């Protein structure tokens, strides 16, 4: 089995606050992997460590078997690691079409287009249109992003991440603030588009987790307290005590 991402005895502390005591984590190629756990368990911190936004206080992080513990975020993006944030990070005054075309131009190495030149990037405009259509955003793609609903803005973030053709896509609560139907639609798109892409997602909605994850990891109290199929995790007593609350 090919592992795209591994942590070995990963440790993280913010001052006196220990988040991870020595985490061993594996992400398998092509899987959809959910990370769950109570508020403050360190899920977002984990994503920040993986992307290189934070440096661990100990241990190692491997990407395709290579040690990237000290690699910059940019180097990790080049290696195919792309993420979305738990909070909205869009440009409000651009239209979704402009945002996606600019992202695609960056990906394709087309000299960063000025806004006025965006309309000349025909190939990227076509691809952007397809992506926006697949994710149900075509209707609003020519109004400014700030006029979209919150749910649509969250979907746009995922489209922008996906536009980078990631090998590993990291999604920090992509469905937060979405209606149930929007959340299901978003994850449906991801499961269709995933293919060879490995997806790691943080999600609080257990229906989405159990419906879309191949494997689930449960973080709590500085450790991974369980890992396995949704069925395995659901029937684990420690997980119920720590998190599921029933
Ligand atoms: N940069 C930081 N400096 C100091 N403490 C931090 C920092 N980032 C996170 N923390 C703390 O680390 C702990 C883990 O935070 P994190 O955001 O990773 O949790 P989470 O599992 O994503 O929670 P949530 O489900 O609420 O999103 C929290 O107690 C948080 O306050
Ligand atoms: Mg978080």
């Amino acid at each position: 089995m090919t592992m795209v991402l591994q942590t070995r005895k990963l440790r993280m502390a913010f001052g006196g606050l220990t988040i991870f005591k020595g985490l061993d984590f594996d992400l398998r190629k092509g899987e959809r992997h959910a990370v769950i756990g109570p508020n403050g368990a360190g899920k977002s911190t984990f994503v920040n460590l993986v992307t290189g936004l934070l440096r661990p206080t100990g241990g190692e992080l491997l990407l395709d078997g290579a040690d990237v513990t000290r690699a910059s975020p940019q180097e990790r993006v080049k290696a195919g690691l792309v993420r979305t944030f738990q909070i909205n990070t869009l440009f409000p005054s651009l239209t979704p079409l402009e945002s996606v075309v600019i992202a695609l131009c960056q990906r394709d190495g087309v000299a960063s287009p000025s806004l006025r030149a965006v309309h000349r990037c025909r190939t990227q405009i076509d691809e952007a249109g397809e992506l926006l259509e697949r994710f149900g955003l075509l209707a609003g793609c020519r109004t400014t992003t700030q006029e979209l609903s919150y749910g649509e803005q969250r979907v746009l973030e995922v489209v922008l991440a996906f536009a980078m053709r990631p090998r590993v896509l990291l999604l920090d609560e992509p469905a937060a603030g979405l209606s149930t139907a929007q959340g299901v639609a978003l994850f449906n798109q991801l499961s269709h588009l995933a293919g060879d892409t490995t997806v790691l997602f943080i999600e609080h909605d257990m229906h989405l987790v159990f419906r879309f994850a191949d494997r689930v990891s449960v973080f709590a109290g500085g450790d991974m307290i369980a890992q396995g199929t949704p069925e395995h995790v659901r029937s684990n007593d420690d997980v119920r005590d720590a998190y599921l609350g029933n």
Side-chain angles (χ1 to χ4, degrees):
M1 190 159 312
T2 314
M3 300 299 174
V4 289
L5 180 81
Q6 295 163 288
T7 70
R8 292 287 166 261
K9 301 203 173 357
L10 193 73
R11 290 195 299 281
M12 186 63 194
F14 295 111
L17 179 68
T18 300
I19 309 294
F20 297 119
K21 293 185 217 160
L23 184 70
D24 289 326
F25 178 91
D26 291 318
L27 188 63
R28 297 174 184 163
K29 184 167 189 216
E31 73 174 339
R32 289 193 301 278
H33 194 123
V35 173
I36 66 171
N39 293 117
K43 304 179 298 296
S44 294
T45 300
F46 180 70
V47 169
N48 289 335
L49 288 167
V50 169
T51 56
L53 217 62
L54 289 172
R55 284 283 160 90
T57 38
E60 289 175 348
L61 208 139
L62 311 179
L63 200 57
D64 298 313
D67 189 340
V68 296
T69 316
R70 271 159 281 279
S72 70
Q74 293 75 12
E75 287 169 309
R76 298 180 203 202
V77 170
K78 276 200 198 121
L81 206 61
V82 175
R83 61 104 42 98
T84 62
F85 288 86
Q86 191 173 358
I87 45 165
N88 195 325
T89 51
L90 300 168
F91 289 113
S93 58
L94 295 185
T95 70
L97 187 61
E98 287 164 345
S99 298
V100 178
V101 171
I102 288 170
L104 292 173
C105 287
Q106 274 172 3
R107 180 199 72 193
D108 295 344
V110 177
S112 147
S114 73
L115 260 188
R116 262 178 260 110
V118 157
H119 69 275
R120 285 194 229 118
C121 305
R122 293 272 21 135
T123 325
Q124 287 82 8
I125 291 172
D126 289 347
E127 188 179 341
E130 277 168 36
L131 267 172
L132 289 163
E133 186 174 19
R134 274 193 201 168
F135 280 88
L137 283 183
L138 202 55
C141 78
R142 288 176 195 280
T143 55
T144 63
T145 296
Q146 63 205 348
E147 293 170 82
L148 299 180
S149 71
Y150 181 74
E152 289 169 326
Q153 293 187 24
R154 297 309 309 252
V155 175
L156 177 58
E157 291 194 331
V158 174
V159 173
L160 287 168
F162 208 85
M164 305 314 286
R165 285 203 197 119
R167 290 193 318 109
V168 182
L169 182 57
L170 306 165
L171 304 167
D172 194 351
E173 300 199 32
L178 267 60
S179 70
T180 307
Q182 283 173 320
V184 169
L186 176 62
F187 273 96
N188 263 328
Q189 289 309 325
L190 285 172
S191 52
H192 289 142
L193 293 173
D196 229 18
T197 311
T198 309
V199 182
L200 182 142
F201 63 98
I202 297 171
E203 182 54 61
H204 278 290
D205 183 332
M206 287 306 118
H207 294 292
L208 292 173
V209 169
F210 291 129
R211 182 156 164 192
F212 289 100
D214 302 315
R215 287 204 300 156
V216 181
S217 294
V218 188
F219 291 0
D223 269 319
M224 184 160 65
I225 59 166
Q227 186 180 63
T229 60
E231 294 71 31
H232 169 82
V233 163
R234 200 180 348 215
S235 60
N236 181 306
D237 288 340
D238 293 340
V239 176
R240 272 188 235 184
D241 291 346
Y243 188 51
L244 296 178
N246 52 38

